[in-house]
Amino acid sequence: MFERPAAGERAVVVQLDLGQGAQAERLSELRLLVTSAGASVEAVIEGRRARPDPALFAGKGKVEEIAMALQAHEGDLVVFNHELSAAQQRNLERALRRRVIDRNALILDIFALRARSHEGKLQVELAQLEHLSTRLVRGWTHLERQKGGIGLRGPGETQLETDRRLLGQRVRALKERLGRLERQRRVRRRARERGEVLSVSLVGYTNAGKSTLFNALTKAGAYAADQLFATLDTTSRRVFLAEAGTIVLSDTVGFIRDLPHSLVVSFHATLEETANADLLLHVVDASSEDRAQQIDAVNRVLAEIGAAAVPQIVVWNKIDATQADPRVERDECGKITRIFLSARTGAGLDLLRQALTEAAQARAAVEAIPAGESRPSATFDPLQL
């Protein structure tokens, strides 16, 4: 569905150990990002540095190693698993005579590949332009003063100034259109709140199995695949619970460590759905050795979008790969902390439905209290049972 032509680009990927830790997991994730973008990983260049080289990020010796790998594997593209400055990217492209992109540009490219809805495409374009604006500082090769002559005499703008002006106009237009869509979304959300329907959002690290779980609960048939960012556009469906009535469940874009800030800003309207949910189902890939870091990465993004205070149920998915049994864990106050299940096999889904039923009943009990009477807490917590 999202695949590019078979004759994709041949990539040499670069990862340097700068002391961040989890190098094997980061490299595995980079490989999956590259293949998700439609390229093939032909060679991996690794190394260790105390700090990035100001001019080339990797240093001259490592750049020579990258150049030899490009020649040996007939590479078309170099992908750095780091954020490059505009100057570093330009210097690397000059030295390697190949296109060089960083992790942020790679993620933006995948988002562009996945976007299907009108709003999703607008958000991706805005994020790409915001990223491009950081490259418009001595970053292009055609920035000399526009030459005069018959038919070419202009106001004396440099190409850089023209590009900045046109880019700024497009960014403003995109923000206005996204603003209108965001206002429409708020109207729909207020109508849902008036109907006293529990709003639940699925969140989690990319490829944790959110869409598979969404389909298992709603029978919606949303696209699910073993690839990063298979879901980009938010999808919402009503789910009927026998003992609690109807709730609204939303499947959202997956998060990833070091998510580009431009994406968080551009997808503010979509991510706002998460911040305004009554309950988050934080889906975790229980089979991943890097799950603790993935949980931390998701929580950091939730804090960035203002959703840190939204109650969570942590759903440990893919227990079929770990041989664990389905179960529910609660703390000493009776608050649900974790549910272990497999969205693929259906094991433990009944436990999740019961947890959602309890949350919906708790919300209904709070909403039933007359306006003049005091409520249990200023902030509704459906997990405090």
Side-chain angles (χ1 to χ4, degrees):
M1 181 176 178
F2 297 124
E3 293 181 358
R4 288 180 173 172
E9 293 174 287
R10 301 163 65 87
V12 172
V13 301
V14 182
Q15 175 170 286
L16 302 182
D17 184 354
L18 302 173
Q20 315 100 312
Q23 292 301 302
E25 291 79 6
R26 288 174 180 272
L27 181 57
S28 175
E29 189 172 271
L30 177 62
R31 285 179 175 273
L32 192 51
L33 282 169
V34 171
T35 55
S36 295
S40 61
V41 177
E42 300 298 326
V44 176
I45 305 298
E46 297 182 83
R48 178 177 296 180
R49 290 184 65 91
R51 62 185 64 84
D53 179 77
L56 295 169
F57 194 91
K60 291 183 179 180
K62 191 60 64 175
V63 169
E64 291 175 1
E65 185 179 344
I66 297 169
M68 289 188 289
L70 285 168
Q71 184 176 5
H73 298 278
E74 300 181 348
D76 310 298
L77 175 70
V78 180
V79 182
F80 275 72
N81 199 19
H82 308 275
E83 183 177 358
L84 300 175
S85 70
Q88 287 168 338
Q89 181 181 352
R90 182 185 69 249
N91 292 339
L92 286 165
E93 288 183 339
R94 284 176 177 172
L96 298 170
R97 299 185 180 276
R98 296 290 192 282
R99 193 156 55 91
V100 176
I101 64 172
D102 62 7
R103 177 186 171 87
N104 287 1
L106 178 61
I107 294 174
L108 286 169
D109 183 78
I110 296 172
F111 269 56
L113 190 63
R114 300 283 191 266
R116 287 295 176 267
S117 71
H118 174 62
E119 184 176 15
K121 291 177 181 178
L122 292 179
Q123 290 172 321
V124 169
E125 183 182 355
L126 177 59
Q128 288 178 318
L129 292 179
E130 295 280 10
H131 179 72
L132 179 61
S133 67
T134 66
R135 312 284 108 174
L136 291 180
V137 182
R138 303 180 184 274
W140 292 7
T141 58
H142 62 287
L143 302 184
E144 71 277 3
R145 177 72 59 176
Q146 293 176 347
K147 296 178 173 62
I150 297 174
L152 295 176
R153 297 186 181 96
E157 271 189 324
T158 64
Q159 185 65 50
L160 175 59
E161 290 166 344
T162 301
D163 291 335
R164 278 179 172 159
R165 177 169 51 80
L166 296 175
L167 186 147
Q169 291 172 356
R170 181 59 179 167
V171 166
R172 285 192 294 273
L174 287 172
K175 287 183 176 178
E176 289 175 3
R177 293 167 68 181
L178 286 170
R180 289 194 294 269
L181 291 171
E182 185 171 356
R183 288 190 290 272
Q184 294 171 9
R185 190 188 295 272
R186 286 175 180 168
V187 170
R188 292 195 298 270
R189 185 164 57 243
R190 282 196 295 269
R192 196 164 63 223
E193 290 169 351
R194 285 196 297 271
E196 298 181 359
V197 176
L198 181 73
S199 173
V200 181
S201 285
L202 290 167
V203 300
Y205 209 76
T206 183
N207 208 32
K210 296 183 303 302
S211 294
T212 302
L213 181 59
F214 181 78
N215 288 335
L217 290 171
T218 66
K219 313 300 182 187
Y223 182 74
D226 184 20
Q227 55 186 195
L228 300 187
F229 303 115
T231 299
L232 185 55
D233 300 308
T234 299
T235 304
S236 298
R237 292 289 186 275
R238 291 182 177 272
V239 176
F240 179 75
L241 302 172
E243 300 178 19
T246 300
I247 67 171
V248 173
L249 184 66
S250 298
D251 186 20
T252 60
V253 61
F255 300 149
I256 196 168
R257 76 182 94 219
D258 304 323
L259 188 68
H261 182 70
S262 58
L263 274 179
V264 176
V265 172
S266 300
F267 276 75
H268 169 74
T270 298
L271 297 174
E272 192 179 42
E273 285 288 293
T274 299
N276 286 279
D278 297 313
L279 174 65
L280 303 180
L281 296 182
H282 182 163
V283 183
V284 176
D285 181 355
S287 66
S288 172
E289 296 181 359
D290 197 30
R291 57 182 177 267
Q293 289 75 21
Q294 293 176 358
I295 291 171
D296 184 57
V298 171
N299 286 331
R300 283 199 300 271
V301 177
L302 289 175
E304 188 172 356
I305 64 176
V310 181
Q312 285 189 22
I313 293 176
V314 179
V315 179
W316 285 60
N317 188 27
K318 305 185 184 182
I319 61 170
D320 51 305
T322 66
Q323 308 303 315
D325 295 323
R327 68 182 189 275
V328 171
E329 290 185 355
R330 299 175 185 262
D331 62 18
E332 61 276 7
C333 299
K335 182 177 179 180
I336 297 172
T337 55
R338 289 190 289 188
I339 296 178
F340 293 76
L341 57 77
S342 169
R344 188 180 67 83
T345 67
L349 285 180
D350 56 330
L351 300 176
L352 179 56
R353 289 193 182 93
Q354 182 57 38
L356 293 173
T357 296
E358 293 179 7
Q361 290 173 340
R363 176 190 169 91
V366 171
E367 293 296 332
I369 298 174
E373 297 184 19
S374 60
R375 298 190 174 191
S377 63
T379 302
F380 164 65
D381 186 349
L383 304 185
Q384 195 66 53
L385 306 175

Coordinates of all heavy atoms in Angstrom, one line a residue, residues 255-326:
F255 N 4.6 7.5 18.3 CA 5.7 8.3 18.7 C 7.0 7.6 18.5 O 7.0 6.4 18.3 CB 5.5 8.8 20.1 CG 4.3 9.5 20.4 CD1 3.7 9.5 21.6 CD2 3.6 10.3 19.4 CE1 2.5 10.2 21.9 CE2 2.5 11.0 19.7 CZ 1.9 10.9 20.9
I256 N 8.1 8.3 18.5 CA 9.4 7.8 18.4 C 10.4 8.6 19.2 O 10.1 9.8 19.4 CB 9.8 7.7 16.9 CG1 11.0 6.8 16.6 CG2 10.1 9.1 16.3 CD1 11.2 6.4 15.2
R257 N 11.5 8.1 19.6 CA 12.5 8.9 20.3 C 13.0 10.0 19.4 O 13.1 9.8 18.2 CB 13.6 8.0 20.8 CG 14.6 7.6 19.8 CD 15.7 6.7 20.4 NE 15.3 5.3 20.2 CZ 15.5 4.3 21.2 NH1 16.0 4.6 22.3 NH2 15.2 3.1 20.9
D258 N 13.3 11.1 20.0 CA 13.8 12.3 19.3 C 12.9 12.7 18.2 O 13.3 13.0 17.1 CB 15.2 12.0 18.8 CG 16.1 11.6 19.9 OD1 16.0 12.1 21.0 OD2 17.0 10.7 19.7
L259 N 11.5 12.7 18.4 CA 10.6 13.1 17.4 C 10.9 14.5 17.0 O 10.9 15.4 17.9 CB 9.2 12.9 17.9 CG 8.0 13.1 16.9 CD1 8.0 12.0 15.9 CD2 6.7 13.2 17.6
P260 N 11.0 14.8 15.7 CA 11.3 16.2 15.3 C 10.3 17.2 15.9 O 9.1 17.0 15.8 CB 11.2 16.1 13.8 CG 11.6 14.7 13.4 CD 11.0 13.9 14.6
H261 N 10.8 18.3 16.5 CA 9.9 19.3 17.1 C 8.9 19.8 16.0 O 7.8 20.1 16.4 CB 10.7 20.4 17.7 CG 9.9 21.4 18.4 ND1 9.2 21.1 19.6 CD2 9.5 22.7 18.1 CE1 8.5 22.2 20.0 NE2 8.7 23.2 19.1
S262 N 9.4 20.0 14.8 CA 8.5 20.6 13.7 C 7.3 19.7 13.5 O 6.2 20.2 13.2 CB 9.3 20.7 12.4 OG 9.8 19.5 12.0
L263 N 7.4 18.4 13.7 CA 6.3 17.5 13.5 C 5.3 17.6 14.7 O 4.1 17.7 14.5 CB 6.8 16.0 13.5 CG 7.2 15.5 12.1 CD1 7.6 14.0 12.2 CD2 6.0 15.6 11.1
V264 N 5.8 17.8 15.9 CA 5.0 18.0 17.1 C 4.2 19.3 16.9 O 3.0 19.3 17.1 CB 5.8 18.0 18.4 CG1 4.9 18.3 19.6 CG2 6.5 16.7 18.6
V265 N 4.8 20.3 16.4 CA 4.2 21.6 16.2 C 3.1 21.5 15.1 O 2.0 21.9 15.3 CB 5.2 22.7 15.9 CG1 4.5 24.0 15.6 CG2 6.1 22.9 17.1
S266 N 3.5 20.9 14.0 CA 2.6 20.9 12.8 C 1.4 20.0 13.1 O 0.3 20.2 12.6 CB 3.4 20.4 11.6 OG 4.5 21.3 11.3
F267 N 1.6 18.9 13.9 CA 0.5 18.0 14.1 C -0.2 18.3 15.4 O -0.8 17.5 16.1 CB 1.1 16.5 14.2 CG 1.2 15.9 12.9 CD1 2.2 16.2 12.0 CD2 0.3 14.9 12.4 CE1 2.3 15.7 10.8 CE2 0.4 14.4 11.2 CZ 1.4 14.7 10.4
H268 N -0.1 19.6 15.8 CA -0.7 20.0 17.1 C -2.2 19.7 17.1 O -2.7 19.2 18.1 CB -0.5 21.5 17.3 CG -1.3 22.1 18.4 ND1 -1.0 21.9 19.7 CD2 -2.4 22.9 18.4 CE1 -1.9 22.5 20.5 NE2 -2.8 23.1 19.7
A269 N -2.9 20.0 16.0 CA -4.4 19.8 16.0 C -4.7 18.3 16.2 O -5.6 17.9 16.9 CB -5.0 20.3 14.7
T270 N -4.0 17.4 15.5 CA -4.2 16.0 15.6 C -3.8 15.5 17.0 O -4.6 14.8 17.7 CB -3.4 15.2 14.6 OG1 -3.8 15.6 13.3 CG2 -3.6 13.7 14.8
L271 N -2.7 15.9 17.5 CA -2.2 15.5 18.8 C -3.1 16.1 20.0 O -3.1 15.5 21.1 CB -0.8 15.8 19.0 CG 0.2 15.2 18.1 CD1 1.6 15.7 18.2 CD2 0.2 13.7 18.2
E272 N -3.8 17.2 19.7 CA -4.6 17.8 20.7 C -5.8 16.8 21.1 O -6.3 16.9 22.2 CB -5.2 19.1 20.2 CG -5.9 19.9 21.2 CD -6.4 21.2 20.7 OE1 -7.0 21.2 19.6 OE2 -6.3 22.2 21.4
E273 N -6.2 15.9 20.2 CA -7.2 14.9 20.5 C -6.7 14.1 21.6 O -7.5 13.7 22.5 CB -7.4 14.0 19.2 CG -8.3 14.7 18.2 CD -9.7 14.8 18.6 OE1 -10.4 13.8 18.7 OE2 -10.2 16.0 18.8
T274 N -5.4 13.8 21.6 CA -4.9 13.0 22.7 C -4.9 13.7 24.0 O -5.3 13.2 25.1 CB -3.4 12.6 22.4 OG1 -3.4 11.8 21.2 CG2 -2.8 11.8 23.5
A275 N -4.5 15.0 24.0 CA -4.5 15.8 25.2 C -5.8 16.0 25.8 O -6.0 16.2 27.0 CB -3.8 17.2 24.9
N276 N -6.9 15.9 25.0 CA -8.2 16.2 25.5 C -9.0 14.9 25.7 O -10.2 14.9 26.0 CB -9.0 17.1 24.5 CG -8.6 18.5 24.5 OD1 -9.0 19.3 25.4 ND2 -7.7 18.9 23.6
A277 N -8.4 13.8 25.6 CA -9.0 12.5 25.9 C -9.2 12.3 27.4 O -8.6 13.0 28.2 CB -8.2 11.3 25.4
D278 N -10.2 11.5 27.7 CA -10.5 11.2 29.2 C -9.5 10.1 29.7 O -9.2 10.1 30.9 CB -11.9 10.7 29.3 CG -13.0 11.7 29.0 OD1 -12.8 12.9 29.4 OD2 -13.9 11.4 28.2
L279 N -9.1 9.3 28.7 CA -8.2 8.1 29.1 C -7.3 7.8 28.0 O -7.7 7.8 26.8 CB -9.1 6.9 29.5 CG -8.5 5.6 29.8 CD1 -7.6 5.7 31.0 CD2 -9.5 4.5 29.9
L280 N -6.1 7.4 28.3 CA -5.1 7.0 27.3 C -4.8 5.5 27.5 O -4.6 5.1 28.6 CB -3.8 7.8 27.4 CG -3.8 9.3 27.3 CD1 -2.4 9.9 27.4 CD2 -4.5 9.7 26.0
L281 N -4.8 4.8 26.4 CA -4.3 3.4 26.4 C -2.9 3.4 25.9 O -2.7 3.6 24.6 CB -5.2 2.5 25.6 CG -6.7 2.3 26.1 CD1 -7.4 1.3 25.2 CD2 -6.7 1.8 27.5
H282 N -1.9 3.4 26.7 CA -0.5 3.5 26.3 C 0.0 2.1 25.9 O 0.2 1.2 26.8 CB 0.3 4.0 27.5 CG 1.8 4.2 27.1 ND1 2.6 5.0 27.9 CD2 2.5 3.7 26.1 CE1 3.8 5.0 27.4 NE2 3.8 4.2 26.3
V283 N 0.0 1.8 24.6 CA 0.3 0.5 24.1 C 1.8 0.3 24.0 O 2.6 1.1 23.5 CB -0.3 0.3 22.7 CG1 0.0 -1.2 22.2 CG2 -1.8 0.5 22.8
V284 N 2.3 -0.8 24.6 CA 3.8 -1.1 24.7 C 4.0 -2.4 24.0 O 3.3 -3.4 24.2 CB 4.2 -1.1 26.2 CG1 5.7 -1.5 26.3 CG2 4.0 0.2 26.9
D285 N 5.1 -2.5 23.3 CA 5.5 -3.8 22.7 C 6.3 -4.5 23.8 O 7.4 -4.3 24.0 CB 6.4 -3.5 21.5 CG 6.9 -4.8 20.8 OD1 6.6 -5.9 21.3 OD2 7.6 -4.7 19.8
A286 N 5.6 -5.5 24.4 CA 6.2 -6.2 25.5 C 7.3 -7.1 25.0 O 8.2 -7.5 25.9 CB 5.1 -7.1 26.1
S287 N 7.4 -7.4 23.7 CA 8.5 -8.2 23.2 C 9.8 -7.4 22.9 O 10.8 -8.0 22.6 CB 8.1 -9.0 22.0 OG 7.8 -8.0 20.9
S288 N 9.7 -6.1 23.0 CA 10.9 -5.3 22.7 C 11.8 -5.2 23.9 O 11.4 -4.9 25.0 CB 10.5 -3.9 22.3 OG 11.6 -3.0 22.1
E289 N 13.1 -5.4 23.7 CA 14.1 -5.2 24.7 C 14.3 -3.8 25.1 O 14.9 -3.4 26.1 CB 15.5 -5.8 24.3 CG 15.4 -7.3 24.0 CD 16.7 -7.9 23.6 OE1 17.7 -7.1 23.5 OE2 16.8 -9.1 23.4
D290 N 13.9 -2.9 24.2 CA 14.0 -1.4 24.4 C 12.8 -0.8 25.0 O 12.6 0.4 24.9 CB 14.4 -0.8 23.1 CG 15.0 0.6 23.3 OD1 15.7 0.8 24.3 OD2 14.9 1.4 22.4
R291 N 11.8 -1.6 25.5 CA 10.5 -1.1 25.9 C 10.6 0.0 27.0 O 9.8 1.0 26.9 CB 9.6 -2.2 26.3 CG 10.1 -3.0 27.5 CD 9.1 -4.2 27.8 NE 9.6 -5.0 28.9 CZ 10.3 -6.1 28.7 NH1 10.6 -6.5 27.5 NH2 10.7 -6.8 29.7
A292 N 11.5 0.0 27.9 CA 11.6 1.0 28.9 C 11.9 2.4 28.3 O 11.3 3.4 28.7 CB 12.6 0.6 30.0
Q293 N 12.9 2.4 27.4 CA 13.2 3.6 26.7 C 12.1 4.1 25.8 O 11.8 5.3 25.7 CB 14.5 3.5 25.9 CG 15.8 3.3 26.7 CD 15.9 2.0 27.3 OE1 15.3 1.0 26.9 NE2 16.7 1.9 28.4
Q294 N 11.3 3.2 25.2 CA 10.2 3.5 24.4 C 9.1 4.2 25.2 O 8.5 5.2 24.8 CB 9.7 2.3 23.6 CG 10.7 1.8 22.6 CD 10.2 0.5 21.9 OE1 9.2 0.0 22.2 NE2 11.0 0.0 21.0
I295 N 8.8 3.6 26.4 CA 7.8 4.2 27.3 C 8.2 5.6 27.7 O 7.4 6.5 27.7 CB 7.6 3.3 28.5 CG1 7.0 1.9 28.1 CG2 6.8 4.0 29.6 CD1 7.0 0.9 29.3
D296 N 9.5 5.8 28.0 CA 10.0 7.1 28.4 C 9.8 8.1 27.2 O 9.4 9.2 27.4 CB 11.4 7.0 28.8 CG 12.0 8.3 29.3 OD1 11.4 8.8 30.3 OD2 13.0 8.8 28.8
A297 N 10.1 7.6 26.0 CA 10.0 8.5 24.8 C 8.6 9.0 24.6 O 8.3 10.2 24.3 CB 10.6 7.8 23.6
V298 N 7.6 8.1 24.8 CA 6.2 8.4 24.6 C 5.8 9.4 25.7 O 5.1 10.4 25.4 CB 5.3 7.1 24.6 CG1 3.9 7.5 24.7 CG2 5.6 6.2 23.4
N299 N 6.2 9.1 26.9 CA 5.8 10.0 28.0 C 6.4 11.4 27.8 O 5.7 12.4 28.2 CB 6.2 9.5 29.3 CG 5.3 8.3 29.7 OD1 4.1 8.2 29.4 ND2 5.8 7.4 30.5
R300 N 7.5 11.5 27.2 CA 8.1 12.9 27.0 C 7.3 13.6 25.9 O 7.1 14.8 26.1 CB 9.6 12.7 26.5 CG 10.6 12.4 27.6 CD 12.0 12.8 27.2 NE 12.4 12.0 26.0 CZ 13.0 10.8 26.1 NH1 13.2 10.3 27.3 NH2 13.4 10.2 25.0
V301 N 6.9 12.9 24.9 CA 6.0 13.6 23.8 C 4.7 14.0 24.4 O 4.2 15.0 24.2 CB 5.9 12.7 22.6 CG1 4.9 13.4 21.6 CG2 7.2 12.4 21.9
L302 N 4.1 13.1 25.3 CA 2.8 13.4 25.9 C 2.9 14.7 26.7 O 2.0 15.5 26.8 CB 2.4 12.2 26.8 CG 1.9 11.0 26.0 CD1 1.6 9.9 27.0 CD2 0.7 11.3 25.1
A303 N 4.1 14.8 27.4 CA 4.3 16.0 28.2 C 4.4 17.2 27.3 O 3.9 18.3 27.7 CB 5.5 15.9 29.1
E304 N 5.0 17.1 26.2 CA 5.2 18.2 25.3 C 3.9 18.7 24.7 O 3.8 19.9 24.4 CB 6.2 17.8 24.1 CG 6.6 18.9 23.2 CD 7.7 18.5 22.2 OE1 8.2 17.4 22.3 OE2 8.1 19.4 21.4
I305 N 3.0 17.8 24.5 CA 1.7 18.2 23.9 C 0.6 18.5 25.0 O -0.6 18.7 24.6 CB 1.2 17.1 22.9 CG1 0.8 15.8 23.6 CG2 2.1 16.9 21.8 CD1 0.2 14.7 22.7
G306 N 1.0 18.4 26.2 CA 0.1 18.8 27.3 C -0.8 17.7 27.7 O -1.9 17.9 28.3
A307 N -0.4 16.4 27.5 CA -1.2 15.3 27.9 C -0.7 14.4 29.0 O -1.1 13.3 29.3 CB -1.4 14.3 26.6
A308 N 0.3 15.0 29.7 CA 1.0 14.2 30.8 C 0.0 13.9 31.9 O 0.2 12.9 32.6 CB 2.2 15.0 31.3
A309 N -1.0 14.8 32.2 CA -1.9 14.6 33.3 C -3.1 13.7 32.9 O -3.9 13.3 33.8 CB -2.4 15.9 33.8
V310 N -3.3 13.3 31.7 CA -4.4 12.4 31.3 C -4.2 11.0 31.9 O -3.1 10.4 31.7 CB -4.5 12.3 29.8 CG1 -5.7 11.5 29.4 CG2 -4.7 13.7 29.2
P311 N -5.1 10.4 32.6 CA -5.0 9.1 33.1 C -4.6 8.1 32.1 O -5.1 8.1 30.9 CB -6.4 8.8 33.7 CG -7.0 10.1 34.0 CD -6.5 11.0 32.9
Q312 N -3.8 7.1 32.4 CA -3.3 6.1 31.5 C -3.6 4.7 32.0 O -3.5 4.4 33.2 CB -1.8 6.2 31.3 CG -1.2 7.3 30.5 CD 0.3 7.1 30.2 OE1 0.8 6.0 30.3 NE2 0.9 8.2 29.9
I313 N -3.8 3.8 31.1 CA -3.7 2.4 31.3 C -2.6 1.9 30.4 O -2.6 2.1 29.2 CB -5.0 1.6 31.0 CG1 -6.1 1.9 31.9 CG2 -4.7 0.1 31.0 CD1 -7.5 1.3 31.6
V314 N -1.6 1.3 31.0 CA -0.4 0.8 30.1 C -0.8 -0.6 29.7 O -1.1 -1.5 30.5 CB 0.9 0.8 30.9 CG1 2.0 0.2 30.1 CG2 1.2 2.2 31.4
V315 N -0.9 -0.8 28.3 CA -1.3 -2.0 27.7 C 0.0 -2.7 27.2 O 0.6 -2.3 26.2 CB -2.3 -1.8 26.6 CG1 -2.7 -3.2 26.0 CG2 -3.5 -1.1 27.1
W316 N 0.4 -3.8 27.8 CA 1.5 -4.6 27.4 C 1.0 -5.5 26.3 O 0.5 -6.6 26.6 CB 2.2 -5.3 28.6 CG 3.0 -4.4 29.4 CD1 2.5 -3.3 30.1 CD2 4.4 -4.4 29.7 NE1 3.5 -2.7 30.8 CE2 4.7 -3.3 30.6 CE3 5.4 -5.3 29.3 CZ2 5.9 -3.1 31.0 CZ3 6.7 -5.0 29.8 CH2 6.9 -3.9 30.6
N317 N 1.3 -5.2 25.1 CA 0.8 -5.9 23.9 C 1.9 -7.0 23.5 O 3.0 -6.9 23.9 CB 0.5 -4.9 22.8 CG -0.2 -5.6 21.6 OD1 -0.9 -6.6 21.8 ND2 0.0 -5.1 20.4
K318 N 1.4 -7.9 22.6 CA 2.3 -8.9 22.0 C 2.8 -9.9 23.0 O 3.9 -10.4 22.9 CB 3.5 -8.3 21.3 CG 3.1 -7.2 20.2 CD 4.3 -6.7 19.4 CE 3.9 -5.6 18.4 NZ 5.0 -5.1 17.6
I319 N 2.0 -10.2 24.0 CA 2.4 -11.2 25.0 C 2.5 -12.6 24.4 O 3.1 -13.5 24.9 CB 1.4 -11.3 26.2 CG1 0.0 -11.7 25.8 CG2 1.4 -10.0 27.0 CD1 -0.9 -12.0 27.0
D320 N 1.9 -12.8 23.2 CA 2.1 -14.1 22.5 C 3.5 -14.3 22.1 O 3.9 -15.5 21.9 CB 1.2 -14.1 21.2 CG 1.4 -12.9 20.3 OD1 1.3 -11.8 20.8 OD2 1.7 -13.1 19.1
A321 N 4.3 -13.2 22.0 CA 5.7 -13.4 21.7 C 6.6 -13.6 22.9 O 7.8 -13.9 22.8 CB 6.2 -12.2 20.9
T322 N 6.0 -13.4 24.1 CA 6.8 -13.5 25.3 C 6.3 -14.6 26.2 O 6.9 -14.8 27.3 CB 6.7 -12.1 26.1 OG1 5.3 -12.0 26.6 CG2 7.1 -10.9 25.3
Q323 N 5.3 -15.3 25.8 CA 4.8 -16.4 26.6 C 4.2 -16.0 27.9 O 4.0 -16.8 28.8 CB 5.8 -17.5 26.8 CG 6.6 -18.0 25.6 CD 5.6 -18.5 24.5 OE1 4.7 -19.3 24.8 NE2 5.8 -18.1 23.3
A324 N 3.8 -14.7 28.0 CA 3.2 -14.3 29.3 C 1.7 -14.5 29.3 O 1.1 -14.7 28.2 CB 3.5 -12.8 29.5
D325 N 1.1 -14.6 30.4 CA -0.4 -14.8 30.5 C -1.1 -13.5 30.6 O -0.6 -12.5 31.1 CB -0.7 -15.6 31.8 CG -0.1 -17.0 31.8 OD1 -0.1 -17.6 30.7 OD2 0.4 -17.5 32.8
P326 N -2.3 -13.5 30.0 CA -3.1 -12.2 30.1 C -3.5 -12.0 31.6 O -3.9 -12.9 32.3 CB -4.4 -12.6 29.3 CG -4.2 -13.9 28.7 CD -3.0 -14.5 29.3

